[in-house]
Amino acid sequence: MKGLMRLLLVLVVLTNLSFGQDINYGSNQGKYIKISNTKIYYEEYGSGMPLLLLHGGFGSIHDFQEVIPEFAKHYRVIAIDSPGHGKSELPDSLSFDLMVDVCSQLIDAFKLDSLNVMGYSDGGITALLLAAKRPEKVRKIIATGVNSHMDAIKPEVLETLRMISPEFMETYQKEWIADYNSKSSSKDQWKKYINSMREMYFSDEVVIPSQVFSDIKARVLLVFGDNDVVKLEHGIELYQSINGSELCVLPDTPHEIFKSSPKLMSEIGLEFLQK
């Protein structure tokens, strides 16, 4: 009886160890692939139809921390840190064209016959541009909190974006600086990164040219929070511009959909991808 009790105790301890530890997505034994002379960090989970995850600006794979486990039950999840973000190397400059080119080359490097893409904010913009560039590869798109031009962002948020500079970050965002430096393979280049992001956002008012929409052959689900940083009327405009697209507006939800409503976003995303 004592031996049985000891065995049960060991099983309880092992069970607590295995289920009590969360995976730190974005820092979980990923790999690097060199694309356009830039080292891109990625992590893979699950199996089946590939699902490429593209995070938002100033973020990383960690943006999807709460939803990767659910999607990985059904798909081969490929999550990347965009150039200059997370653990990926910072190139000379940043642009949406570069983001799209990296994703396009990754599709070929991984020899993917077809894939779905889920993008958040900047990642959603990249996903739509990628669908237009590679219509023969991209089957379905989930894009959250996207804008096709900068004026689609609410004025107060746009004003804050315009204020972002190395000096602003040192004054108000020291935690972000520490987090960036802890992940980045381009050590102590956060100032260059901030300046590159400003240039990417404000070098051109148009983020997605209108002619791109007619080139999108993938099925598209657009998701916005009703408290999103993007004006809701712009979400409706995008929905009307993309042929056959679907629009979902989540109540009492901010821009950070994958953090505020991960369970709901997983359910909505999986239903769209599987139908």
Side-chain angles (χ1 to χ4, degrees):
M1 178 63 72
K2 288 182 179 179
L4 177 60
M5 291 299 293
R6 278 195 293 269
L7 176 60
L8 289 173
L9 180 60
V10 169
L11 289 174
V12 167
V13 171
L14 288 176
T15 300
N16 287 337
L17 283 174
S18 61
F19 289 95
Q21 296 177 348
D22 292 330
I23 295 174
N24 186 18
Y25 295 101
S27 295
N28 187 39
Q29 300 178 342
K31 298 178 181 178
Y32 285 92
I33 181 171
K34 199 153 192 177
I35 298 177
S36 295
N37 234 14
T38 301
K39 283 169 47 180
I40 301 298
Y41 176 80
Y42 70 95
E43 295 177 3
E44 289 195 69
Y45 302 94
S47 60
M49 175 80 168
L51 174 63
L52 179 63
L53 300 187
L54 304 176
H55 62 77
F58 303 99
S60 68
I61 293 170
H62 196 76
D63 286 355
F64 297 108
Q65 173 81 9
E66 303 298 327
V67 300
I68 286 177
E70 194 60 37
F71 282 97
K73 292 177 184 177
H74 308 273
Y75 297 95
R76 175 191 173 188
V77 171
I78 304 171
I80 73 168
D81 280 338
S82 296
H85 297 65
K87 295 180 180 294
S88 288
E89 192 174 20
L90 179 64
D92 291 336
S93 62
L94 296 174
S95 68
F96 284 110
D97 285 343
L98 171 66
M99 307 285 190
V100 173
D101 188 55
V102 164
C103 293
S104 180
Q105 290 192 51
L106 184 141
I107 289 172
D108 294 334
F110 283 9
K111 299 180 180 178
L112 303 181
D113 292 330
S114 63
L115 75 158
N116 299 321
V117 186
M118 184 162 68
Y120 157 58
S121 193
D122 286 5
I125 294 169
T126 303
L128 293 175
L129 291 168
L130 178 66
K133 180 172 182 172
R134 301 298 301 270
E136 82 287 3
K137 294 289 186 179
V138 180
R139 295 290 174 260
K140 292 186 178 182
I141 294 284
I142 300 172
T144 78
V146 299
N147 58 292
S148 66
H149 52 85
M150 294 304 292
D151 279 350
I153 298 174
K154 291 176 179 176
E156 63 274 18
V157 179
L158 192 57
E159 183 180 349
T160 301
L161 274 177
R162 292 187 186 280
M163 291 170 58
I164 291 178
S165 65
E167 294 74 25
F168 178 92
M169 300 301 284
E170 284 182 312
T171 303
Y172 299 105
Q173 294 291 334
K174 289 183 178 179
E175 289 184 5
W176 179 90
I177 295 171
D179 181 66
Y180 182 87
N181 283 333
S182 71
K183 295 175 181 175
S184 177
S185 61
S186 306
K187 296 300 182 186
D188 300 319
Q189 292 199 52
W190 68 268
K191 291 183 180 180
K192 177 183 175 182
Y193 166 81
I194 291 296
N195 289 327
S196 294
M197 289 294 287
R198 279 180 55 85
E199 177 68 17
M200 183 175 82
Y201 286 152
F202 298 112
S203 61
D204 194 337
E205 160 64 19
V206 176
V207 181
I208 305 177
S210 58
Q211 61 266 28
V212 164
F213 299 129
S214 61
D215 293 332
I216 295 175
K217 307 305 178 187
R219 290 189 58 192
V220 176
L221 173 64
L222 298 166
V223 184
F224 296 87
D226 65 351
N227 292 324
D228 211 303
V229 302
V230 178
K231 299 172 187 175
L232 184 53
E233 56 264 35
H234 181 66
I236 297 172
E237 180 186 326
L238 288 177
Y239 161 66
Q240 294 171 337
S241 299
I242 302 173
N243 186 42
S245 65
E246 299 178 36
L247 174 64
C248 177
V249 181
L250 303 185
D252 194 28
T253 302
H255 187 59
E256 298 80 8
I257 285 176
F258 292 98
K259 292 182 180 178
S260 66
S261 306
K263 187 174 185 297
L264 182 58
M265 196 58 226
S266 296
E267 291 172 355
I268 291 170
L270 287 171
E271 180 182 353
F272 172 74
L273 292 175
Q274 293 174 354
K275 68 182 180 181

